[in-house]
Amino acid sequence: MKVILISRKHGGSRSLELGRWSRALLSLCCLGLPLGMVALGYFVGQESQARDLRDNSLDSLQDELATQSTELEDLRLEAERKLQAMTLSLAELQARMTRLDALGEHLTAMADLQDGEFDFSQPPAVGGPLAADFSVEYLAPDLTGELEHFAERLTEREQQLEILESLLTHRKLDEEAWVSGRPVEKGWVSSGFGVRADPFSGKRSAHYGIDYAGKAGSNVIAVAGGVVTFSGNDRNGYGMMVEVSHGDGLVTRYAHNQSNLVEPGDLVRKGQPIALMGSSGRATGPHVHFEVYKHGRPVDPSSYVRRTRR
Ligand SMILES: [Zn+2]
């Protein structure tokens, strides 16, 4: 192959004889260059597409991450809110506990229990149902444990207070049934228990009660709580009489009443008016004939009238 090169300046020409290798080089230049350009373009395009793809997936990843972190924040806030709520309820439990303790100590003092029977720093020696379950799995274990512990202590206190209450109630009932004091609000002893001259016959006779004289129509009161076992007119000289049974073998009688205020079977309380003073039956004037029976035998009421609580 021969290539002729013409110079514009001088109009002269030169010819070049191209060998086999030169030809190959020239064709490579003429064909290879555009092909290379096309290939390069293709690769560049590919590259930018890949970059786009990468960018896109990165964007979505970032979006996802943002969503997740929002959710995480929500969860954290929710957990914080619940924790706050639990902390509040724990504080409330503690306040209740303190109040129960104070009440317990007060009641213990009131009941004169100083032998450590109700030591509020110790759990009571009684069984009972388990404390209510606190189902808060998502909480820190120590807070959950703390709550359970408090629930248990509350249950213990409640049991102690229940026992204490029933004890006090029984003691109160005891006190109610404790025969003591006078059967009148106002009045004086006009005749004592024992042998005396009968006010009607003048003969020596036994007087199985105490007479309290007073104003007709004034209140005759029960000396202790109990059940009315008789209320009516007794034909053996008692006149209008009320009989009250106090349990433990103790019975009291209130005789010569103007009228009775209670019916058999009535529950009466200590100090409750049960009749109005009168002079029914064998009586010379308004008074109440007061008798105390212990296991069916009349006893001197004065010891009961005078006696004080244990
Ligand atoms: Zn009498």
Side-chain angles (χ1 to χ4, degrees):
M1 195 189 203
K2 186 181 261 181
V3 174
I4 302 161
L5 299 167
I6 300 159
S7 164
R8 272 187 199 172
K9 226 177 173 177
H10 311 288
S13 66
R14 285 172 70 183
S15 63
L16 285 169
E17 190 75 24
L18 291 178
R20 200 150 45 104
W21 288 108
S22 308
R23 271 206 315 271
L25 191 73
L26 192 67
S27 37
L28 193 72
C29 282
C30 292
L31 284 171
L33 205 66
L35 272 175
M37 290 298 278
V38 167
L40 188 72
Y42 175 77
F43 281 122
V44 167
Q46 279 277 314
E47 179 68 13
S48 88
Q49 215 177 341
R51 197 186 300 126
D52 282 355
L53 266 175
R54 261 207 314 274
D55 286 354
N56 282 342
S57 63
L58 204 69
D59 281 354
S60 70
L61 257 175
Q62 272 168 345
D63 283 352
E64 211 173 302
L65 208 69
T67 312
Q68 275 180 354
S69 81
T70 309
E71 279 171 5
L72 204 70
E73 180 67 8
D74 284 352
L75 267 174
R76 198 184 62 78
L77 284 174
E78 175 77 356
E80 208 165 89
R81 199 178 56 74
K82 281 181 175 160
L83 195 72
Q84 259 173 9
M86 292 322 277
T87 310
L88 269 177
S89 67
L90 180 64
E92 196 194 305
L93 277 177
Q94 280 170 327
R96 274 176 61 195
M97 190 79 214
T98 310
R99 212 165 51 201
L100 271 182
D101 276 348
L103 178 65
E105 271 165 35
H106 177 67
L107 284 176
T108 307
M110 223 173 84
D112 279 331
L113 298 168
Q114 261 125 36
D115 53 359
E117 190 181 352
F118 285 92
D119 186 353
F120 271 80
S121 61
Q122 294 293 318
V126 290
L130 278 171
D133 272 352
F134 281 89
S135 48
V136 278
E137 300 90 353
Y138 55 87
L139 280 177
D142 59 331
L143 186 58
T144 313
E146 193 90 331
L147 280 171
E148 274 169 9
H149 177 65
F150 264 110
E152 274 166 27
R153 280 183 65 197
L154 269 177
T155 309
E156 281 167 9
R157 290 296 180 276
E158 274 159 13
Q159 283 169 350
Q160 279 176 323
L161 286 177
E162 269 166 31
I163 296 166
L164 204 57
E165 192 196 13
S166 76
L167 203 88
L168 281 173
T169 307
H170 283 123
R171 186 167 284 191
K172 200 159 167 22
L173 281 178
D174 235 35
E175 209 155 292
E176 272 280 313
W178 183 255
V179 175
S180 64
R182 304 177 342 142
V184 289
E185 289 163 347
K186 277 178 185 167
W188 64 97
V189 175
S190 54
S191 186
F193 181 88
V195 177
R196 65 166 190 183
D198 186 89
F200 286 92
S201 67
K203 287 181 189 169
R204 280 172 64 86
S205 62
H207 184 229
Y208 293 122
I210 294 179
D211 292 343
Y212 288 89
K215 223 172 123 184
S218 61
N219 281 337
V220 172
I221 58 171
V223 293
V227 184
V228 176
T229 43
F230 180 88
S231 177
N233 193 14
D234 177 82
R235 306 207 182 268
N236 299 320
Y238 284 104
M240 289 297 283
M241 184 184 78
V242 172
E243 185 183 270
V244 180
S245 178
H246 307 284
D248 210 19
L250 273 172
V251 171
T252 52
R253 282 180 174 178
Y254 313 78
H256 307 307
N257 306 323
Q258 191 180 82
S259 61
N260 296 343
L261 305 175
V262 290
E263 296 291 325
D266 281 357
L267 277 168
V268 294
R269 304 196 60 180
K270 191 184 185 77
Q272 181 184 327
I274 51 173
L276 299 179
M277 195 183 282
S279 50
S280 60
R282 288 182 82 233
T284 56
H287 77 284
V288 57
H289 173 82
F290 176 56
E291 287 180 354
V292 177
Y293 285 85
K294 178 85 181 166
H295 297 300
R297 295 169 62 94
V299 292
D300 188 351
S302 58
S303 57
Y304 288 97
V305 170
R306 282 195 303 267
R307 79 174 172 173
T308 48
R309 195 80 179 96
R310 282 181 252 265

